[in-house]
mmCIF file of all heavy atoms in Angstrom:
data_model
loop_
_atom_site.group_PDB
_atom_site.id
_atom_site.type_symbol
_atom_site.label_atom_id
_atom_site.label_comp_id
_atom_site.label_asym_id
_atom_site.label_seq_id
_atom_site.Cartn_x
_atom_site.Cartn_y
_atom_site.Cartn_z
ATOM 1 N N ASN A 593 -6.763 8.826 96.074
ATOM 2 C CA ASN A 593 -6.803 9.526 97.359
ATOM 3 C C ASN A 593 -6.651 11.043 97.147
ATOM 4 O O ASN A 593 -7.306 11.840 97.870
ATOM 5 C CB ASN A 593 -5.727 9.030 98.284
ATOM 6 C CG ASN A 593 -6.002 7.607 98.764
ATOM 7 O OD1 ASN A 593 -7.168 7.172 98.791
ATOM 8 N ND2 ASN A 593 -4.970 6.836 99.094
ATOM 9 N N ALA A 594 -5.861 11.456 96.176
ATOM 10 C CA ALA A 594 -5.716 12.878 95.909
ATOM 11 C C ALA A 594 -7.030 13.440 95.368
ATOM 12 O O ALA A 594 -7.435 14.552 95.762
ATOM 13 C CB ALA A 594 -4.574 13.090 94.897
ATOM 14 N N PHE A 595 -7.714 12.667 94.544
ATOM 15 C CA PHE A 595 -8.996 13.125 94.008
ATOM 16 C C PHE A 595 -10.024 13.230 95.100
ATOM 17 O O PHE A 595 -10.804 14.208 95.178
ATOM 18 C CB PHE A 595 -9.444 12.198 92.920
ATOM 19 C CG PHE A 595 -10.700 12.667 92.183
ATOM 20 C CD1 PHE A 595 -10.750 13.909 91.564
ATOM 21 C CD2 PHE A 595 -11.848 11.870 92.181
ATOM 22 C CE1 PHE A 595 -11.895 14.345 90.918
ATOM 23 C CE2 PHE A 595 -13.001 12.305 91.509
ATOM 24 C CZ PHE A 595 -12.996 13.535 90.894
ATOM 25 N N ARG A 596 -10.060 12.258 95.982
ATOM 26 C CA ARG A 596 -11.012 12.273 97.112
ATOM 27 C C ARG A 596 -10.745 13.505 97.978
ATOM 28 O O ARG A 596 -11.700 14.168 98.442
ATOM 29 C CB ARG A 596 -10.882 11.016 97.982
ATOM 30 C CG ARG A 596 -11.447 9.772 97.363
ATOM 31 C CD ARG A 596 -11.392 8.590 98.314
ATOM 32 N NE ARG A 596 -12.231 8.813 99.502
ATOM 33 C CZ ARG A 596 -11.798 8.936 100.720
ATOM 34 N NH1 ARG A 596 -10.470 8.896 100.971
ATOM 35 N NH2 ARG A 596 -12.630 9.139 101.734
ATOM 36 N N LEU A 597 -9.450 13.823 98.192
ATOM 37 C CA LEU A 597 -9.083 14.991 98.988
ATOM 38 C C LEU A 597 -9.667 16.294 98.369
ATOM 39 O O LEU A 597 -10.320 17.099 99.053
ATOM 40 C CB LEU A 597 -7.606 15.104 99.174
ATOM 41 C CG LEU A 597 -7.084 16.340 99.839
ATOM 42 C CD1 LEU A 597 -7.498 16.388 101.329
ATOM 43 C CD2 LEU A 597 -5.528 16.450 99.739
ATOM 44 N N VAL A 598 -9.378 16.430 97.111
ATOM 45 C CA VAL A 598 -9.824 17.701 96.444
ATOM 46 C C VAL A 598 -11.330 17.805 96.440
ATOM 47 O O VAL A 598 -11.898 18.878 96.689
ATOM 48 C CB VAL A 598 -9.244 17.719 94.981
ATOM 49 C CG1 VAL A 598 -9.844 18.889 94.218
ATOM 50 C CG2 VAL A 598 -7.708 17.838 95.013
ATOM 51 N N LYS A 599 -12.010 16.652 96.150
ATOM 52 C CA LYS A 599 -13.478 16.723 96.076
ATOM 53 C C LYS A 599 -14.116 16.898 97.456
ATOM 54 O O LYS A 599 -15.312 17.242 97.552
ATOM 55 C CB LYS A 599 -14.010 15.450 95.412
ATOM 56 C CG LYS A 599 -13.611 15.323 93.941
ATOM 57 C CD LYS A 599 -14.357 16.306 93.067
ATOM 58 C CE LYS A 599 -15.718 15.860 92.734
ATOM 59 N NZ LYS A 599 -16.385 16.694 91.678
ATOM 60 N N SER A 600 -13.313 16.689 98.504
ATOM 61 C CA SER A 600 -13.887 16.823 99.851
ATOM 62 C C SER A 600 -13.884 18.286 100.323
ATOM 63 O O SER A 600 -14.486 18.632 101.339
ATOM 64 C CB SER A 600 -13.083 15.978 100.851
ATOM 65 O OG SER A 600 -11.810 16.550 101.093
ATOM 66 N N TRP A 601 -13.133 19.140 99.628
ATOM 67 C CA TRP A 601 -13.058 20.523 100.056
ATOM 68 C C TRP A 601 -14.328 21.284 99.846
ATOM 69 O O TRP A 601 -15.018 21.113 98.824
ATOM 70 C CB TRP A 601 -11.897 21.233 99.306
ATOM 71 C CG TRP A 601 -10.532 20.716 99.668
ATOM 72 C CD1 TRP A 601 -10.181 20.055 100.782
ATOM 73 C CD2 TRP A 601 -9.347 20.831 98.884
ATOM 74 N NE1 TRP A 601 -8.861 19.724 100.782
ATOM 75 C CE2 TRP A 601 -8.315 20.220 99.634
ATOM 76 C CE3 TRP A 601 -9.028 21.405 97.668
ATOM 77 C CZ2 TRP A 601 -6.987 20.141 99.156
ATOM 78 C CZ3 TRP A 601 -7.728 21.344 97.221
ATOM 79 C CH2 TRP A 601 -6.706 20.735 97.955
ATOM 80 N N THR A 602 -14.585 22.171 100.795
ATOM 81 C CA THR A 602 -15.715 23.099 100.655
ATOM 82 C C THR A 602 -15.216 24.340 99.919
ATOM 83 O O THR A 602 -14.151 24.898 100.244
ATOM 84 C CB THR A 602 -16.282 23.493 102.015
ATOM 85 O OG1 THR A 602 -16.653 22.286 102.723
ATOM 86 C CG2 THR A 602 -17.470 24.388 101.889
ATOM 87 N N VAL A 603 -16.013 24.798 98.966
ATOM 88 C CA VAL A 603 -15.597 25.941 98.134
ATOM 89 C C VAL A 603 -16.380 27.170 98.561
ATOM 90 O O VAL A 603 -17.611 27.092 98.766
ATOM 91 C CB VAL A 603 -15.820 25.629 96.614
ATOM 92 C CG1 VAL A 603 -15.305 26.805 95.779
ATOM 93 C CG2 VAL A 603 -15.108 24.331 96.247
ATOM 94 N N SER A 604 -15.691 28.273 98.658
ATOM 95 C CA SER A 604 -16.309 29.543 99.007
ATOM 96 C C SER A 604 -15.814 30.633 98.112
ATOM 97 O O SER A 604 -14.619 30.760 97.894
ATOM 98 C CB SER A 604 -16.052 29.904 100.488
ATOM 99 O OG SER A 604 -16.445 31.206 100.757
ATOM 100 N N GLU A 605 -16.751 31.419 97.599
ATOM 101 C CA GLU A 605 -16.343 32.541 96.745
ATOM 102 C C GLU A 605 -15.735 33.678 97.550
ATOM 103 O O GLU A 605 -15.095 34.568 96.999
ATOM 104 C CB GLU A 605 -17.574 33.002 95.947
ATOM 105 C CG GLU A 605 -18.097 32.010 94.944
ATOM 106 C CD GLU A 605 -19.249 32.577 94.116
ATOM 107 O OE1 GLU A 605 -19.544 33.776 94.308
ATOM 108 O OE2 GLU A 605 -19.749 31.848 93.247
ATOM 109 N N THR A 606 -15.966 33.623 98.854
ATOM 110 C CA THR A 606 -15.436 34.731 99.682
ATOM 111 C C THR A 606 -14.165 34.330 100.445
ATOM 112 O O THR A 606 -13.573 35.130 101.140
ATOM 113 C CB THR A 606 -16.491 35.146 100.710
ATOM 114 O OG1 THR A 606 -16.810 34.034 101.555
ATOM 115 C CG2 THR A 606 -17.775 35.700 100.031
ATOM 116 N N ALA A 607 -13.762 33.095 100.284
ATOM 117 C CA ALA A 607 -12.555 32.603 100.968
ATOM 118 C C ALA A 607 -11.322 33.379 100.463
ATOM 119 O O ALA A 607 -11.225 33.709 99.274
ATOM 120 C CB ALA A 607 -12.365 31.126 100.781
ATOM 121 N N ASP A 608 -10.390 33.640 101.380
ATOM 122 C CA ASP A 608 -9.176 34.340 101.034
ATOM 123 C C ASP A 608 -8.219 33.413 100.261
ATOM 124 O O ASP A 608 -7.887 32.307 100.717
ATOM 125 C CB ASP A 608 -8.496 34.848 102.304
ATOM 126 C CG ASP A 608 -7.249 35.656 102.019
ATOM 127 O OD1 ASP A 608 -7.055 36.049 100.818
ATOM 128 O OD2 ASP A 608 -6.417 35.829 102.943
ATOM 129 N N ALA A 609 -7.822 33.829 99.074
ATOM 130 C CA ALA A 609 -6.899 33.005 98.237
ATOM 131 C C ALA A 609 -5.483 32.951 98.822
ATOM 132 O O ALA A 609 -4.749 32.029 98.584
ATOM 133 C CB ALA A 609 -6.882 33.498 96.820
ATOM 134 N N GLY A 610 -5.116 34.002 99.551
ATOM 135 C CA GLY A 610 -3.772 34.048 100.091
ATOM 136 C C GLY A 610 -2.736 33.903 99.011
ATOM 137 O O GLY A 610 -2.745 34.607 97.982
ATOM 138 N N ALA A 611 -1.787 32.985 99.254
ATOM 139 C CA ALA A 611 -0.702 32.799 98.268
ATOM 140 C C ALA A 611 -1.017 31.705 97.256
ATOM 141 O O ALA A 611 -0.155 31.266 96.524
ATOM 142 C CB ALA A 611 0.587 32.415 99.056
ATOM 143 N N ASN A 612 -2.287 31.256 97.254
ATOM 144 C CA ASN A 612 -2.657 30.146 96.365
ATOM 145 C C ASN A 612 -2.431 30.512 94.869
ATOM 146 O O ASN A 612 -2.065 29.631 94.095
ATOM 147 C CB ASN A 612 -4.107 29.767 96.563
ATOM 148 C CG ASN A 612 -4.278 28.951 97.850
ATOM 149 O OD1 ASN A 612 -3.325 28.573 98.472
ATOM 150 N ND2 ASN A 612 -5.554 28.692 98.220
ATOM 151 N N ALA A 613 -2.636 31.747 94.544
ATOM 152 C CA ALA A 613 -2.490 32.174 93.148
ATOM 153 C C ALA A 613 -1.067 31.907 92.652
ATOM 154 O O ALA A 613 -0.844 31.476 91.507
ATOM 155 C CB ALA A 613 -2.839 33.643 92.951
ATOM 156 N N LEU A 614 -0.075 32.141 93.562
ATOM 157 C CA LEU A 614 1.305 31.903 93.226
ATOM 158 C C LEU A 614 1.554 30.391 93.034
ATOM 159 O O LEU A 614 2.280 29.978 92.101
ATOM 160 C CB LEU A 614 2.202 32.478 94.333
ATOM 161 C CG LEU A 614 3.689 32.551 93.989
ATOM 162 C CD1 LEU A 614 3.939 33.510 92.801
ATOM 163 C CD2 LEU A 614 4.484 33.010 95.213
ATOM 164 N N SER A 615 0.953 29.593 93.905
ATOM 165 C CA SER A 615 1.077 28.133 93.753
ATOM 166 C C SER A 615 0.455 27.632 92.475
ATOM 167 O O SER A 615 1.002 26.736 91.783
ATOM 168 C CB SER A 615 0.440 27.420 94.957
ATOM 169 O OG SER A 615 1.036 27.811 96.159
ATOM 170 N N VAL A 616 -0.671 28.203 92.114
ATOM 171 C CA VAL A 616 -1.321 27.833 90.836
ATOM 172 C C VAL A 616 -0.392 28.159 89.676
ATOM 173 O O VAL A 616 -0.253 27.393 88.710
ATOM 174 C CB VAL A 616 -2.679 28.525 90.707
ATOM 175 C CG1 VAL A 616 -3.220 28.379 89.270
ATOM 176 C CG2 VAL A 616 -3.672 27.943 91.706
#
Side-chain angles (χ1 to χ4, degrees):
N593 291 333
F595 185 58
R596 286 185 65 245
L597 173 68
V598 172
K599 293 290 277 190
S600 71
W601 291 340
T602 303
V603 183
S604 169
E605 293 184 2
T606 60
D608 181 16
N612 285 350
L614 192 63
S615 299
V616 168

